[in-house]
Amino acid sequence: MPRWMVKALAVTPGLVISTVVTSMVGATLPPLAGAILFVGGLAVGVLLGAGAGESAAARVLLASRPARAEELNMLAGALTVLCRAQLGPPLIRLRVRPGEHAVAAGGFGRRTVVVSAGLLDAVERGHLSQDQAAAVIAHAAALARGGWVRNDPVIGFWSLPWQIIAAVAQVVASVGQRLPLTSLVWRLRGIVIAIAVVQSVQLRQFWLAATIAGIGIVSYAMPALERRWRQILLDSGDVAVREAGLAPPLAAFLRRCPRTPSRQARLRTLEGSTQVLRPLGVVR
């Protein structure tokens, strides 16, 4: 399945639900407020899709801020390595997510890479070397420069209602897990959905039957497609890191993380790489 199709299938349910929720909310507002909601939302979506407002979207959607001068100085060695691999500034813009303690970096849009406060803290304390920091950032930068996350700003903006609903559902689910038989009922939801569909068909409520069936299909397919898309991003980033000659430091970083089958597979791929760093060149 092409990569664009995997991503489309993974994000479409959230976009559709967000559109429906926004339409329902807009219909209850006064005409002027509803018009502002719809026209303003479309205008922002078009601008984000065209590449404008990427920094503002990263600030709002990812709770990030621009990297400060002292933080860039702290990452000077890593940024030098990234520029050598043509994955550093000015081709990318670094932002920081203050509340995230894990060592992580993520691409966003066309040129933005958001690093965690945990990555900066690890570099400052000497727990993460400059070349390992460069490898982690390079993985994210390659996805941004390669167009893999190009439309994430507009997707994140448009799916805000779905994200709010999903966050509330996650809280409810975490509480529900403490109740007896809740997990069993969720695992057997297919049977419940099938019964509801059959009953709706018998009552000739075909639209209701189709809606219930669609919800059931999405509940199974969406998590699988999201996992598949995340795996595609990991693999594509790893390929770019290998091509940049940063596979050894990324493998060294991953060896410090908890061992899982997927991480072991990544390590085998990265440790088998013999790619060398690209020579220094002009960054355009």
Side-chain angles (χ1 to χ4, degrees):
M1 185 182 295
R3 73 180 192 182
W4 65 266
M5 187 177 295
V6 175
K7 184 168 186 177
L9 291 173
V11 304
T12 295
L15 295 176
V16 171
I17 293 171
S18 296
T19 303
V20 172
V21 171
T22 303
S23 300
M24 293 172 62
V25 171
T28 64
L29 296 175
L32 179 59
I36 291 174
L37 176 65
F38 287 120
V39 175
L42 287 173
V44 172
V46 170
L47 289 173
L48 290 175
E54 186 171 296
S55 296
R59 178 185 296 276
V60 174
L61 299 176
L62 301 180
S64 66
R65 57 166 175 77
R68 297 169 180 153
E70 60 269 22
E71 292 167 339
L72 295 176
N73 289 335
M74 186 193 309
L75 293 173
L79 295 179
T80 300
V81 174
L82 287 169
C83 289
R84 185 188 305 173
Q86 298 182 1
L87 291 172
L91 294 178
I92 64 164
R93 294 186 292 257
L94 279 184
R95 299 182 65 88
V96 178
R97 192 171 186 177
E100 188 170 352
H101 301 294
V103 176
F108 184 76
R110 292 165 167 80
R111 297 178 57 189
T112 301
V113 172
V114 180
V115 301
S116 65
L119 184 146
L120 296 174
D121 184 64
V123 172
E124 184 177 20
R125 294 173 180 269
H127 298 160
L128 188 71
S129 65
Q130 291 285 341
D131 61 343
Q132 290 178 14
V136 174
I137 297 172
H139 194 284
L143 294 178
R145 296 301 299 166
W148 294 89
V149 293
R150 180 186 183 92
N151 296 315
D152 279 12
V154 65
I155 291 173
F157 166 73
W158 201 265
S159 61
L160 270 176
W162 164 247
Q163 294 178 45
I164 294 172
I165 294 172
V168 173
Q170 187 173 7
V171 172
V172 174
S174 63
V175 174
Q177 286 178 351
R178 303 170 189 169
L179 301 176
L181 301 180
T182 302
S183 299
L184 178 62
V185 170
W186 175 250
R187 288 196 296 269
L188 297 178
R189 67 189 182 278
I191 298 175
V192 178
I193 290 171
I195 294 173
V197 169
V198 171
Q199 290 177 341
S200 299
V201 171
Q202 290 174 344
L203 295 172
R204 296 186 176 278
Q205 297 177 341
F206 300 113
W207 281 108
L208 179 60
T211 301
I212 295 173
I215 292 172
I217 292 171
V218 168
S219 71
Y220 283 101
M222 192 172 179
L225 289 167
E226 288 176 345
R227 288 193 298 269
R228 175 58 180 156
W229 178 244
R230 287 194 294 268
Q231 187 60 51
I232 289 175
L233 290 181
L234 279 177
D235 294 342
S236 301
D238 287 348
V239 169
V241 168
R242 290 201 307 270
E243 292 176 350
L246 292 170
L250 182 59
F253 167 72
L254 292 176
R255 281 196 296 270
R256 298 164 46 188
C257 302
R259 297 298 177 94
T260 63
S262 61
R263 190 164 288 128
Q264 289 293 95
R266 290 183 68 193
L267 280 170
R268 285 192 294 271
T269 302
L270 291 169
E271 290 173 340
S273 172
T274 57
Q275 187 78 20
V276 297
L277 280 172
R278 298 173 181 173
L280 288 171
V282 177
V283 177
R284 296 183 175 84

